[in-house]
Amino acid sequence: MPTIKKIPATITAVSDTTPTARVVTLTLSEPLPFVAGAFVNMFISHEGKVLRRAFSISSSDKEDKTIELTVRLSPNGAVSPLFWKEDIIGTTVEVMGPLGLNTADKMLQSKTFLFGFGVGAGVVKSLAEHFVQDPNCTELTIMLGSRNEDEIVHLKEVTELATSPKVTVRHAISNPGDHNTHPVGYIQNHLEGFDFNNADVYVCGQEAACEALVEAVKKQNPQNCLYFVEGFH
Ligand SMILES: Cc1cc2nc3c(=O)[nH]c(=O)nc-3n(C[C@H](O)[C@H](O)[C@H](O)COP(=O)(O)OP(=O)(O)OC[C@H]3O[C@@H](n4cnc5c(N)ncnc54)[C@H](O)[C@@H]3O)c2cc1C
């Protein structure tokens, strides 16, 4: 288990992955070894107060001096809009981590399902990058649930991961636009063909969505199926 530290970090880049989700790059003052699936608490000063928010690490656990967080804009929120400000680059924050129990080192079965709702795709990407390199993992299924086809977070990276022969990628779109080609509905409406026996099932996103999906998987009564649920609240 990596040591938990609280260290200064500088926001050195931001880039959009969808119209409402952004990758925030943090250059850390010292290495922060972590295992994919971990999150950090970020402390950021704003209007004389220090605000704390949790963000999952969305970059690969092979790199521990620079980490990326994938953040959804909550327009009325206190912290997430700060990452959309013009002068955010160069801002110093503190990060505490790595935190969380739902990390790749706990997922030991050879068959793994990674389900991400919305911005939960960030940590799914980090986990997928880990398992693609892990010879113990022989079957990796990634499924992302997104509002519409323009809001598929990390679509490019996840599509690239699908070039590995052990990786299957699927999408579910809840509120499709005119050019959608993916199945319509929530992830839990499209579990056909999945065999959850002897599998690790990781689910990440808003808590209510995670719970609904886990219930749907449990209805299939899979044997030896372990659940790893990371609810964003
Ligand atoms: C373990 C964990 C991991 C997480 N990982 C991620 C991640 O990887 N990416 C990510 O984007 N988020 C993640 N989150 C969520 C994140 O911590 C924040 O909760 C989120 O970014 C919103 O923070 P905020 O300060 O912008 O909004 P807050 O100020 O906390 O507001 C929360 C919500 O309330 C609404 N709100 C606030 N004030 C008002 C008001 N006056 N009237 C109406 N509505 C209002 C806001 O619009 C927002 O939707 C994670 C949470 C947890 C617990």
Side-chain angles (χ1 to χ4, degrees):
M1 185 73 189
T3 314
I4 297 173
K5 306 177 188 178
K6 189 175 180 192
I7 56 172
T10 305
I11 297 175
T12 46
V14 290
S15 65
D16 291 336
T17 171
T18 76
T20 67
R22 182 161 261 207
V23 178
V24 177
T25 304
L26 295 174
T27 299
L28 307 171
S29 58
E30 58 179 277
L32 189 76
F34 68 98
V35 179
F39 69 91
V40 291
N41 274 334
M42 180 195 282
F43 298 81
I44 186 165
S45 298
H46 180 58
E47 295 180 343
K49 288 189 196 148
V50 177
L51 304 173
R52 183 188 73 182
R53 294 292 183 276
F55 295 106
S56 298
I57 302 174
S58 58
S59 49
S60 163
D61 58 11
K62 294 250 177 306
E63 168 59 56
D64 63 9
K65 190 69 181 35
T66 299
I67 58 170
E68 292 171 356
L69 313 174
T70 304
V71 180
R72 171 82 75 203
L73 176 64
S74 293
N76 297 318
V79 170
S80 60
L82 301 178
F83 302 118
W84 271 259
K85 287 180 70 179
E86 294 267 301
D87 59 353
I88 190 66
I89 305 290
T91 300
T92 301
V93 298
E94 280 192 300
V95 290
M96 189 173 87
L99 301 169
L101 299 174
N102 299 310
T103 45
D105 52 338
K106 314 271 174 38
M107 302 172 207
L108 300 174
Q109 309 208 63
S110 59
K111 184 166 49 170
T112 307
F113 291 87
L114 302 175
F115 293 113
F117 289 99
V119 77
V123 62
V124 161
K125 175 180 87 69
S126 176
L127 283 161
E129 286 167 352
H130 177 103
F131 286 120
V132 161
Q133 302 288 327
D134 178 358
N136 181 52
C137 173
T138 55
E139 238 184 294
L140 179 64
T141 303
I142 302 166
M143 188 160 182
L144 302 182
S146 311
R147 210 174 300 164
N148 61 53
E149 52 279 29
D150 297 327
E151 281 294 347
I152 304 178
V153 172
H154 292 301
L155 175 62
K156 181 170 166 280
E157 295 90 337
V158 168
T159 304
E160 273 166 23
L161 286 164
T163 57
S164 164
K166 68 180 179 184
V167 177
T168 303
V169 174
R170 282 209 215 162
H171 296 279
I173 300 292
S174 58
N175 190 10
D178 292 341
H179 54 285
N180 176 53
T181 54
H182 299 296
V184 175
Y186 298 118
I187 295 176
Q188 55 268 31
N189 306 131
H190 296 285
L191 300 180
E192 62 281 353
F194 291 154
D195 173 5
F196 295 110
N197 291 301
N198 305 307
D200 287 332
V201 173
Y202 175 88
V203 184
C204 182
Q206 293 299 319
E207 274 182 328
C210 294
E211 282 166 20
L213 172 54
V214 169
E215 281 315 301
V217 175
K218 283 185 176 168
K219 277 203 179 123
Q220 296 192 9
N221 199 23
Q223 303 301 298
N224 191 27
C225 177
L226 297 181
Y227 301 92
F228 300 84
V229 181
E230 196 71 78
F232 291 174
H233 46 83

